[in-house]
Amino acid sequence: MPNKRSQFENTVTPYLGAAYNLARWLTGEDADAQDVVQESLLRAFKFFDSFRGGDSRAWLLTIVRHTAYTWLRQNRAGMMVSLDDELPNEALPDDTEEQLIQTLDHQALHQAIAALSVEFREVVILHDLEGLAYKEIAAIANIPIGTVMSRLARARKRLYYTLAQTQQLDRPRTESGKQQT
């Protein structure tokens, strides 16, 4: 029978990349993310006896999320901003995604995601980068599935507006695909 340590390693090792990715996006810094993941792994190991099976990725990411939020409250309370800042209540253009893909500057996207509030950033990372379903995100964040969907929609809208400003998405394109000036 395998010991606790080997069972733990088998359970969490496949998801260390996802854990780091979430911590990195939430904290904004490589060293801070490493600290959060290390603390998360210590907590996960300490409470591993209470893990009853199921989705070990969601279990680990829940611990990483809680650890990151605790770390942020203690070290960067200013990053914990309100979600109430609203953008204009207008519909996005029908070709939003296509336009973003065609003009996407990956550095600008990275900066736009980093500029999102932590609550918006986490749903984008968990859904769009880690591929988790709404239900899984709801369980990890301990929020209703409708809140996950709302935050994701609002986050994407914020990303669109931020990228529209930096990428000048509203300008017409020439036949070569370049934006007119």
PDB file of all heavy atoms in Angstrom, residues 81-113:
ATOM      1  N   VAL A  81      -9.793  44.886  -5.625  1.00  0.00           N
ATOM      2  CA  VAL A  81     -10.662  45.999  -5.972  1.00  0.00           C
ATOM      3  C   VAL A  81     -12.086  45.520  -6.200  1.00  0.00           C
ATOM      4  O   VAL A  81     -12.348  44.334  -6.363  1.00  0.00           O
ATOM      5  CB  VAL A  81     -10.156  46.744  -7.226  1.00  0.00           C
ATOM      6  CG1 VAL A  81      -8.808  47.363  -6.975  1.00  0.00           C
ATOM      7  CG2 VAL A  81     -10.108  45.820  -8.420  1.00  0.00           C
ATOM      8  N   SER A  82     -12.986  46.463  -6.240  1.00  0.00           N
ATOM      9  CA  SER A  82     -14.394  46.158  -6.420  1.00  0.00           C
ATOM     10  C   SER A  82     -14.691  45.725  -7.850  1.00  0.00           C
ATOM     11  O   SER A  82     -14.096  46.218  -8.802  1.00  0.00           O
ATOM     12  CB  SER A  82     -15.226  47.400  -6.086  1.00  0.00           C
ATOM     13  OG  SER A  82     -16.560  47.200  -6.456  1.00  0.00           O
ATOM     14  N   LEU A  83     -15.638  44.843  -7.984  1.00  0.00           N
ATOM     15  CA  LEU A  83     -16.091  44.421  -9.305  1.00  0.00           C
ATOM     16  C   LEU A  83     -17.172  45.347  -9.839  1.00  0.00           C
ATOM     17  O   LEU A  83     -17.702  45.130 -10.912  1.00  0.00           O
ATOM     18  CB  LEU A  83     -16.669  42.990  -9.233  1.00  0.00           C
ATOM     19  CG  LEU A  83     -15.703  41.901  -8.835  1.00  0.00           C
ATOM     20  CD1 LEU A  83     -16.419  40.570  -8.758  1.00  0.00           C
ATOM     21  CD2 LEU A  83     -14.560  41.822  -9.805  1.00  0.00           C
ATOM     22  N   ASP A  84     -17.513  46.384  -9.095  1.00  0.00           N
ATOM     23  CA  ASP A  84     -18.631  47.237  -9.459  1.00  0.00           C
ATOM     24  C   ASP A  84     -18.313  48.259 -10.531  1.00  0.00           C
ATOM     25  O   ASP A  84     -19.213  48.913 -11.032  1.00  0.00           O
ATOM     26  CB  ASP A  84     -19.174  47.955  -8.217  1.00  0.00           C
ATOM     27  CG  ASP A  84     -19.755  46.972  -7.222  1.00  0.00           C
ATOM     28  OD1 ASP A  84     -20.236  45.907  -7.655  1.00  0.00           O
ATOM     29  OD2 ASP A  84     -19.715  47.261  -6.018  1.00  0.00           O
ATOM     30  N   ASP A  85     -17.056  48.432 -10.882  1.00  0.00           N
ATOM     31  CA  ASP A  85     -16.719  49.371 -11.938  1.00  0.00           C
ATOM     32  C   ASP A  85     -17.277  48.833 -13.250  1.00  0.00           C
ATOM     33  O   ASP A  85     -16.835  47.811 -13.744  1.00  0.00           O
ATOM     34  CB  ASP A  85     -15.197  49.532 -12.071  1.00  0.00           C
ATOM     35  CG  ASP A  85     -14.568  50.070 -10.803  1.00  0.00           C
ATOM     36  OD1 ASP A  85     -15.282  50.746 -10.039  1.00  0.00           O
ATOM     37  OD2 ASP A  85     -13.376  49.803 -10.592  1.00  0.00           O
ATOM     38  N   GLU A  86     -18.242  49.525 -13.783  1.00  0.00           N
ATOM     39  CA  GLU A  86     -18.917  49.053 -14.985  1.00  0.00           C
ATOM     40  C   GLU A  86     -18.385  49.735 -16.224  1.00  0.00           C
ATOM     41  O   GLU A  86     -17.996  50.891 -16.203  1.00  0.00           O
ATOM     42  CB  GLU A  86     -20.428  49.313 -14.881  1.00  0.00           C
ATOM     43  CG  GLU A  86     -21.135  48.403 -13.918  1.00  0.00           C
ATOM     44  CD  GLU A  86     -21.153  46.944 -14.337  1.00  0.00           C
ATOM     45  OE1 GLU A  86     -21.146  46.640 -15.543  1.00  0.00           O
ATOM     46  OE2 GLU A  86     -21.158  46.096 -13.442  1.00  0.00           O
ATOM     47  N   LEU A  87     -18.407  49.005 -17.300  1.00  0.00           N
ATOM     48  CA  LEU A  87     -18.111  49.547 -18.607  1.00  0.00           C
ATOM     49  C   LEU A  87     -19.426  49.968 -19.234  1.00  0.00           C
ATOM     50  O   LEU A  87     -20.501  49.627 -18.743  1.00  0.00           O
ATOM     51  CB  LEU A  87     -17.439  48.465 -19.459  1.00  0.00           C
ATOM     52  CG  LEU A  87     -16.055  48.061 -18.996  1.00  0.00           C
ATOM     53  CD1 LEU A  87     -15.593  46.835 -19.738  1.00  0.00           C
ATOM     54  CD2 LEU A  87     -15.071  49.191 -19.199  1.00  0.00           C
ATOM     55  N   PRO A  88     -19.371  50.676 -20.344  1.00  0.00           N
ATOM     56  CA  PRO A  88     -20.620  51.049 -21.008  1.00  0.00           C
ATOM     57  C   PRO A  88     -21.484  49.815 -21.257  1.00  0.00           C
ATOM     58  O   PRO A  88     -20.972  48.752 -21.598  1.00  0.00           O
ATOM     59  CB  PRO A  88     -20.150  51.667 -22.323  1.00  0.00           C
ATOM     60  CG  PRO A  88     -18.736  52.082 -22.078  1.00  0.00           C
ATOM     61  CD  PRO A  88     -18.199  51.130 -21.048  1.00  0.00           C
ATOM     62  N   ASN A  89     -22.776  49.966 -21.091  1.00  0.00           N
ATOM     63  CA  ASN A  89     -23.694  48.843 -21.244  1.00  0.00           C
ATOM     64  C   ASN A  89     -24.130  48.717 -22.694  1.00  0.00           C
ATOM     65  O   ASN A  89     -25.295  48.802 -23.018  1.00  0.00           O
ATOM     66  CB  ASN A  89     -24.909  49.017 -20.328  1.00  0.00           C
ATOM     67  CG  ASN A  89     -25.691  47.731 -20.197  1.00  0.00           C
ATOM     68  OD1 ASN A  89     -25.179  46.659 -20.505  1.00  0.00           O
ATOM     69  ND2 ASN A  89     -26.926  47.839 -19.758  1.00  0.00           N
ATOM     70  N   GLU A  90     -23.163  48.532 -23.556  1.00  0.00           N
ATOM     71  CA  GLU A  90     -23.468  48.380 -24.963  1.00  0.00           C
ATOM     72  C   GLU A  90     -22.980  47.013 -25.420  1.00  0.00           C
ATOM     73  O   GLU A  90     -22.064  46.445 -24.863  1.00  0.00           O
ATOM     74  CB  GLU A  90     -22.821  49.496 -25.792  1.00  0.00           C
ATOM     75  CG  GLU A  90     -21.332  49.588 -25.581  1.00  0.00           C
ATOM     76  CD  GLU A  90     -20.734  50.861 -26.148  1.00  0.00           C
ATOM     77  OE1 GLU A  90     -21.226  51.946 -25.825  1.00  0.00           O
ATOM     78  OE2 GLU A  90     -19.768  50.746 -26.912  1.00  0.00           O
ATOM     79  N   ALA A  91     -23.615  46.517 -26.433  1.00  0.00           N
ATOM     80  CA  ALA A  91     -23.248  45.201 -26.951  1.00  0.00           C
ATOM     81  C   ALA A  91     -21.902  45.286 -27.671  1.00  0.00           C
ATOM     82  O   ALA A  91     -21.571  46.311 -28.267  1.00  0.00           O
ATOM     83  CB  ALA A  91     -24.316  44.696 -27.910  1.00  0.00           C
ATOM     84  N   LEU A  92     -21.158  44.210 -27.589  1.00  0.00           N
ATOM     85  CA  LEU A  92     -19.911  44.148 -28.326  1.00  0.00           C
ATOM     86  C   LEU A  92     -20.224  43.852 -29.792  1.00  0.00           C
ATOM     87  O   LEU A  92     -21.220  43.206 -30.104  1.00  0.00           O
ATOM     88  CB  LEU A  92     -19.019  43.034 -27.759  1.00  0.00           C
ATOM     89  CG  LEU A  92     -18.525  43.230 -26.336  1.00  0.00           C
ATOM     90  CD1 LEU A  92     -17.725  42.015 -25.893  1.00  0.00           C
ATOM     91  CD2 LEU A  92     -17.688  44.482 -26.217  1.00  0.00           C
ATOM     92  N   PRO A  93     -19.368  44.300 -30.703  1.00  0.00           N
ATOM     93  CA  PRO A  93     -19.594  43.995 -32.111  1.00  0.00           C
ATOM     94  C   PRO A  93     -19.642  42.493 -32.350  1.00  0.00           C
ATOM     95  O   PRO A  93     -19.010  41.717 -31.632  1.00  0.00           O
ATOM     96  CB  PRO A  93     -18.376  44.617 -32.806  1.00  0.00           C
ATOM     97  CG  PRO A  93     -17.816  45.596 -31.836  1.00  0.00           C
ATOM     98  CD  PRO A  93     -18.196  45.109 -30.471  1.00  0.00           C
ATOM     99  N   ASP A  94     -20.385  42.079 -33.385  1.00  0.00           N
ATOM    100  CA  ASP A  94     -20.532  40.653 -33.685  1.00  0.00           C
ATOM    101  C   ASP A  94     -19.211  39.985 -34.021  1.00  0.00           C
ATOM    102  O   ASP A  94     -19.029  38.810 -33.768  1.00  0.00           O
ATOM    103  CB  ASP A  94     -21.508  40.443 -34.855  1.00  0.00           C
ATOM    104  CG  ASP A  94     -22.941  40.768 -34.462  1.00  0.00           C
ATOM    105  OD1 ASP A  94     -23.262  40.709 -33.256  1.00  0.00           O
ATOM    106  OD2 ASP A  94     -23.735  41.068 -35.368  1.00  0.00           O
ATOM    107  N   ASP A  95     -18.298  40.736 -34.594  1.00  0.00           N
ATOM    108  CA  ASP A  95     -17.024  40.155 -35.023  1.00  0.00           C
ATOM    109  C   ASP A  95     -15.902  40.365 -34.011  1.00  0.00           C
ATOM    110  O   ASP A  95     -14.735  40.342 -34.350  1.00  0.00           O
ATOM    111  CB  ASP A  95     -16.622  40.710 -36.386  1.00  0.00           C
ATOM    112  CG  ASP A  95     -16.392  42.219 -36.361  1.00  0.00           C
ATOM    113  OD1 ASP A  95     -16.790  42.869 -35.368  1.00  0.00           O
ATOM    114  OD2 ASP A  95     -15.817  42.731 -37.331  1.00  0.00           O
ATOM    115  N   THR A  96     -16.266  40.540 -32.744  1.00  0.00           N
ATOM    116  CA  THR A  96     -15.289  40.844 -31.705  1.00  0.00           C
ATOM    117  C   THR A  96     -14.142  39.841 -31.681  1.00  0.00           C
ATOM    118  O   THR A  96     -12.979  40.212 -31.740  1.00  0.00           O
ATOM    119  CB  THR A  96     -15.970  40.868 -30.322  1.00  0.00           C
ATOM    120  OG1 THR A  96     -16.947  41.883 -30.329  1.00  0.00           O
ATOM    121  CG2 THR A  96     -14.968  41.129 -29.224  1.00  0.00           C
ATOM    122  N   GLU A  97     -14.459  38.548 -31.565  1.00  0.00           N
ATOM    123  CA  GLU A  97     -13.402  37.548 -31.442  1.00  0.00           C
ATOM    124  C   GLU A  97     -12.544  37.483 -32.691  1.00  0.00           C
ATOM    125  O   GLU A  97     -11.323  37.404 -32.615  1.00  0.00           O
ATOM    126  CB  GLU A  97     -14.009  36.178 -31.123  1.00  0.00           C
ATOM    127  CG  GLU A  97     -14.550  36.095 -29.715  1.00  0.00           C
ATOM    128  CD  GLU A  97     -15.066  34.721 -29.374  1.00  0.00           C
ATOM    129  OE1 GLU A  97     -14.504  33.728 -29.859  1.00  0.00           O
ATOM    130  OE2 GLU A  97     -16.039  34.640 -28.615  1.00  0.00           O
ATOM    131  N   GLU A  98     -13.181  37.542 -33.849  1.00  0.00           N
ATOM    132  CA  GLU A  98     -12.419  37.485 -35.097  1.00  0.00           C
ATOM    133  C   GLU A  98     -11.479  38.677 -35.214  1.00  0.00           C
ATOM    134  O   GLU A  98     -10.322  38.542 -35.592  1.00  0.00           O
ATOM    135  CB  GLU A  98     -13.378  37.454 -36.284  1.00  0.00           C
ATOM    136  CG  GLU A  98     -12.670  37.354 -37.619  1.00  0.00           C
ATOM    137  CD  GLU A  98     -13.654  37.316 -38.773  1.00  0.00           C
ATOM    138  OE1 GLU A  98     -14.747  36.767 -38.613  1.00  0.00           O
ATOM    139  OE2 GLU A  98     -13.305  37.858 -39.836  1.00  0.00           O
ATOM    140  N   GLN A  99     -11.984  39.854 -34.869  1.00  0.00           N
ATOM    141  CA  GLN A  99     -11.172  41.059 -34.921  1.00  0.00           C
ATOM    142  C   GLN A  99      -9.991  40.968 -33.956  1.00  0.00           C
ATOM    143  O   GLN A  99      -8.865  41.332 -34.304  1.00  0.00           O
ATOM    144  CB  GLN A  99     -12.038  42.269 -34.560  1.00  0.00           C
ATOM    145  CG  GLN A  99     -11.837  43.436 -35.461  1.00  0.00           C
ATOM    146  CD  GLN A  99     -12.706  44.606 -35.057  1.00  0.00           C
ATOM    147  OE1 GLN A  99     -13.338  44.613 -34.004  1.00  0.00           O
ATOM    148  NE2 GLN A  99     -12.722  45.604 -35.903  1.00  0.00           N
ATOM    149  N   LEU A 100     -10.237  40.466 -32.749  1.00  0.00           N
ATOM    150  CA  LEU A 100      -9.159  40.328 -31.772  1.00  0.00           C
ATOM    151  C   LEU A 100      -8.091  39.364 -32.256  1.00  0.00           C
ATOM    152  O   LEU A 100      -6.903  39.622 -32.132  1.00  0.00           O
ATOM    153  CB  LEU A 100      -9.712  39.864 -30.423  1.00  0.00           C
ATOM    154  CG  LEU A 100     -10.404  40.913 -29.584  1.00  0.00           C
ATOM    155  CD1 LEU A 100     -11.023  40.275 -28.349  1.00  0.00           C
ATOM    156  CD2 LEU A 100      -9.459  42.013 -29.182  1.00  0.00           C
ATOM    157  N   ILE A 101      -8.520  38.250 -32.814  1.00  0.00           N
ATOM    158  CA  ILE A 101      -7.564  37.245 -33.289  1.00  0.00           C
ATOM    159  C   ILE A 101      -6.704  37.818 -34.407  1.00  0.00           C
ATOM    160  O   ILE A 101      -5.490  37.612 -34.457  1.00  0.00           O
ATOM    161  CB  ILE A 101      -8.297  35.961 -33.733  1.00  0.00           C
ATOM    162  CG1 ILE A 101      -8.872  35.260 -32.499  1.00  0.00           C
ATOM    163  CG2 ILE A 101      -7.376  35.037 -34.514  1.00  0.00           C
ATOM    164  CD1 ILE A 101      -9.832  34.144 -32.812  1.00  0.00           C
ATOM    165  N   GLN A 102      -7.329  38.563 -35.317  1.00  0.00           N
ATOM    166  CA  GLN A 102      -6.592  39.109 -36.459  1.00  0.00           C
ATOM    167  C   GLN A 102      -5.569  40.160 -36.043  1.00  0.00           C
ATOM    168  O   GLN A 102      -4.531  40.292 -36.672  1.00  0.00           O
ATOM    169  CB  GLN A 102      -7.563  39.730 -37.466  1.00  0.00           C
ATOM    170  CG  GLN A 102      -8.388  38.705 -38.193  1.00  0.00           C
ATOM    171  CD  GLN A 102      -9.424  39.353 -39.105  1.00  0.00           C
ATOM    172  OE1 GLN A 102      -9.563  40.564 -39.148  1.00  0.00           O
ATOM    173  NE2 GLN A 102     -10.157  38.526 -39.823  1.00  0.00           N
ATOM    174  N   THR A 103      -5.858  40.919 -35.023  1.00  0.00           N
ATOM    175  CA  THR A 103      -4.988  42.029 -34.665  1.00  0.00           C
ATOM    176  C   THR A 103      -4.212  41.797 -33.382  1.00  0.00           C
ATOM    177  O   THR A 103      -3.505  42.683 -32.938  1.00  0.00           O
ATOM    178  CB  THR A 103      -5.821  43.316 -34.480  1.00  0.00           C
ATOM    179  OG1 THR A 103      -6.715  43.113 -33.398  1.00  0.00           O
ATOM    180  CG2 THR A 103      -6.550  43.679 -35.737  1.00  0.00           C
ATOM    181  N   LEU A 104      -4.345  40.623 -32.822  1.00  0.00           N
ATOM    182  CA  LEU A 104      -3.855  40.367 -31.480  1.00  0.00           C
ATOM    183  C   LEU A 104      -2.361  40.567 -31.333  1.00  0.00           C
ATOM    184  O   LEU A 104      -1.555  40.024 -32.057  1.00  0.00           O
ATOM    185  CB  LEU A 104      -4.209  38.940 -31.074  1.00  0.00           C
ATOM    186  CG  LEU A 104      -3.951  38.588 -29.633  1.00  0.00           C
ATOM    187  CD1 LEU A 104      -4.771  39.487 -28.722  1.00  0.00           C
ATOM    188  CD2 LEU A 104      -4.309  37.153 -29.384  1.00  0.00           C
ATOM    189  N   ASP A 105      -2.022  41.363 -30.384  1.00  0.00           N
ATOM    190  CA  ASP A 105      -0.655  41.552 -29.934  1.00  0.00           C
ATOM    191  C   ASP A 105      -0.608  40.816 -28.594  1.00  0.00           C
ATOM    192  O   ASP A 105      -1.253  41.227 -27.639  1.00  0.00           O
ATOM    193  CB  ASP A 105      -0.381  43.047 -29.769  1.00  0.00           C
ATOM    194  CG  ASP A 105       0.971  43.341 -29.135  1.00  0.00           C
ATOM    195  OD1 ASP A 105       1.585  42.424 -28.548  1.00  0.00           O
ATOM    196  OD2 ASP A 105       1.394  44.494 -29.211  1.00  0.00           O
ATOM    197  N   HIS A 106       0.126  39.706 -28.540  1.00  0.00           N
ATOM    198  CA  HIS A 106       0.114  38.867 -27.336  1.00  0.00           C
ATOM    199  C   HIS A 106       0.602  39.603 -26.099  1.00  0.00           C
ATOM    200  O   HIS A 106       0.121  39.350 -25.006  1.00  0.00           O
ATOM    201  CB  HIS A 106       0.900  37.571 -27.578  1.00  0.00           C
ATOM    202  CG  HIS A 106       0.209  36.667 -28.538  1.00  0.00           C
ATOM    203  ND1 HIS A 106      -0.875  35.909 -28.192  1.00  0.00           N
ATOM    204  CD2 HIS A 106       0.411  36.441 -29.855  1.00  0.00           C
ATOM    205  CE1 HIS A 106      -1.306  35.242 -29.236  1.00  0.00           C
ATOM    206  NE2 HIS A 106      -0.542  35.543 -30.270  1.00  0.00           N
ATOM    207  N   GLN A 107       1.524  40.515 -26.277  1.00  0.00           N
ATOM    208  CA  GLN A 107       1.989  41.311 -25.138  1.00  0.00           C
ATOM    209  C   GLN A 107       0.845  42.159 -24.606  1.00  0.00           C
ATOM    210  O   GLN A 107       0.646  42.271 -23.401  1.00  0.00           O
ATOM    211  CB  GLN A 107       3.160  42.204 -25.567  1.00  0.00           C
ATOM    212  CG  GLN A 107       3.583  43.192 -24.505  1.00  0.00           C
ATOM    213  CD  GLN A 107       4.831  42.755 -23.801  1.00  0.00           C
ATOM    214  OE1 GLN A 107       5.500  41.847 -24.226  1.00  0.00           O
ATOM    215  NE2 GLN A 107       5.145  43.394 -22.709  1.00  0.00           N
ATOM    216  N   ALA A 108       0.076  42.756 -25.519  1.00  0.00           N
ATOM    217  CA  ALA A 108      -1.065  43.586 -25.107  1.00  0.00           C
ATOM    218  C   ALA A 108      -2.117  42.734 -24.402  1.00  0.00           C
ATOM    219  O   ALA A 108      -2.715  43.164 -23.408  1.00  0.00           O
ATOM    220  CB  ALA A 108      -1.675  44.300 -26.306  1.00  0.00           C
ATOM    221  N   LEU A 109      -2.344  41.529 -24.900  1.00  0.00           N
ATOM    222  CA  LEU A 109      -3.310  40.631 -24.250  1.00  0.00           C
ATOM    223  C   LEU A 109      -2.847  40.287 -22.847  1.00  0.00           C
ATOM    224  O   LEU A 109      -3.623  40.335 -21.894  1.00  0.00           O
ATOM    225  CB  LEU A 109      -3.515  39.357 -25.069  1.00  0.00           C
ATOM    226  CG  LEU A 109      -4.444  38.316 -24.448  1.00  0.00           C
ATOM    227  CD1 LEU A 109      -5.849  38.877 -24.248  1.00  0.00           C
ATOM    228  CD2 LEU A 109      -4.486  37.057 -25.293  1.00  0.00           C
ATOM    229  N   HIS A 110      -1.578  39.957 -22.705  1.00  0.00           N
ATOM    230  CA  HIS A 110      -1.017  39.630 -21.392  1.00  0.00           C
ATOM    231  C   HIS A 110      -1.200  40.802 -20.431  1.00  0.00           C
ATOM    232  O   HIS A 110      -1.625  40.627 -19.285  1.00  0.00           O
ATOM    233  CB  HIS A 110       0.463  39.275 -21.540  1.00  0.00           C
ATOM    234  CG  HIS A 110       1.118  38.875 -20.267  1.00  0.00           C
ATOM    235  ND1 HIS A 110       1.063  37.596 -19.779  1.00  0.00           N
ATOM    236  CD2 HIS A 110       1.829  39.598 -19.371  1.00  0.00           C
ATOM    237  CE1 HIS A 110       1.714  37.544 -18.628  1.00  0.00           C
ATOM    238  NE2 HIS A 110       2.186  38.744 -18.360  1.00  0.00           N
ATOM    239  N   GLN A 111      -0.904  42.001 -20.906  1.00  0.00           N
ATOM    240  CA  GLN A 111      -1.052  43.190 -20.069  1.00  0.00           C
ATOM    241  C   GLN A 111      -2.521  43.447 -19.733  1.00  0.00           C
ATOM    242  O   GLN A 111      -2.836  43.854 -18.620  1.00  0.00           O
ATOM    243  CB  GLN A 111      -0.443  44.412 -20.759  1.00  0.00           C
ATOM    244  CG  GLN A 111       1.067  44.342 -20.823  1.00  0.00           C
ATOM    245  CD  GLN A 111       1.670  45.454 -21.679  1.00  0.00           C
ATOM    246  OE1 GLN A 111       0.990  46.095 -22.465  1.00  0.00           O
ATOM    247  NE2 GLN A 111       2.964  45.661 -21.515  1.00  0.00           N
ATOM    248  N   ALA A 112      -3.407  43.218 -20.693  1.00  0.00           N
ATOM    249  CA  ALA A 112      -4.835  43.442 -20.460  1.00  0.00           C
ATOM    250  C   ALA A 112      -5.377  42.458 -19.423  1.00  0.00           C
ATOM    251  O   ALA A 112      -6.160  42.834 -18.550  1.00  0.00           O
ATOM    252  CB  ALA A 112      -5.612  43.332 -21.770  1.00  0.00           C
ATOM    253  N   ILE A 113      -4.959  41.210 -19.505  1.00  0.00           N
ATOM    254  CA  ILE A 113      -5.395  40.214 -18.519  1.00  0.00           C
ATOM    255  C   ILE A 113      -4.842  40.588 -17.144  1.00  0.00           C
ATOM    256  O   ILE A 113      -5.559  40.550 -16.143  1.00  0.00           O
ATOM    257  CB  ILE A 113      -4.957  38.791 -18.910  1.00  0.00           C
ATOM    258  CG1 ILE A 113      -5.716  38.325 -20.158  1.00  0.00           C
ATOM    259  CG2 ILE A 113      -5.187  37.811 -17.766  1.00  0.00           C
ATOM    260  CD1 ILE A 113      -5.217  37.021 -20.747  1.00  0.00           C
TER     261      ILE A 113
END
